[in-house]
Amino acid sequence: MKILIFIPVYNCEKQVLRLLKRIEQIPELQNYHYVFIDNQSQDNTIDSLSNALTISRITNARIFRNENNFGLGGSHKIAFGMAVKESYDIL
């Protein structure tokens, strides 16, 4: 079963490391795929997330940045579209 975990991010540069440490506590961590969708953060969220992922145990993760700030609902629509297009069973 393919499972995609969608995590919206916006201006959370300082929280990224704490977030990844929490995700690493998931017992079946490697059974899931993760997509972080950034909604045009005004800080260094993308860089902090990229750097943190390089030292993280999370291997099935990718970062996507919206072209515009679509709001949380817009990020949800993008995640739903990804899940359907890539044949995930659960989002």
Side-chain angles (χ1 to χ4, degrees):
M1 180 175 293
K2 281 179 69 175
I3 300 172
L4 178 64
I5 297 180
F6 155 60
I7 302 161
V9 293
Y10 180 75
N11 288 345
C12 57
E13 168 187 7
K14 295 178 182 175
Q15 292 84 18
V16 166
L17 192 55
R18 186 175 72 227
L19 170 66
L20 294 181
K21 287 182 180 186
R22 296 287 304 268
I23 292 171
E24 287 179 331
Q25 294 174 4
I26 296 172
E28 298 172 346
L29 173 72
Q30 301 306 335
N31 292 344
Y32 309 117
H33 295 122
Y34 304 84
V35 63
F36 296 86
I37 298 182
D38 180 73
N39 208 20
Q40 289 289 316
S41 291
Q42 302 300 308
D43 63 3
N44 292 319
T45 295
I46 296 264
D47 292 336
S48 294
L49 184 56
S50 294
N51 292 336
L53 280 170
T54 62
I55 60 171
S56 170
R57 293 186 316 117
I58 303 167
T59 58
N60 300 327
R62 59 190 160 150
I63 303 168
F64 180 84
R65 185 170 188 171
N66 290 338
E67 294 174 12
N68 296 301
N69 185 328
F70 297 127
L72 181 58
S75 293
H76 276 92
K77 289 179 185 177
I78 290 169
F80 290 139
M82 285 179 173
V84 169
K85 181 179 178 185
E86 298 171 16
S87 302
Y88 280 93
D89 299 305
I90 297 175
L91 171 67

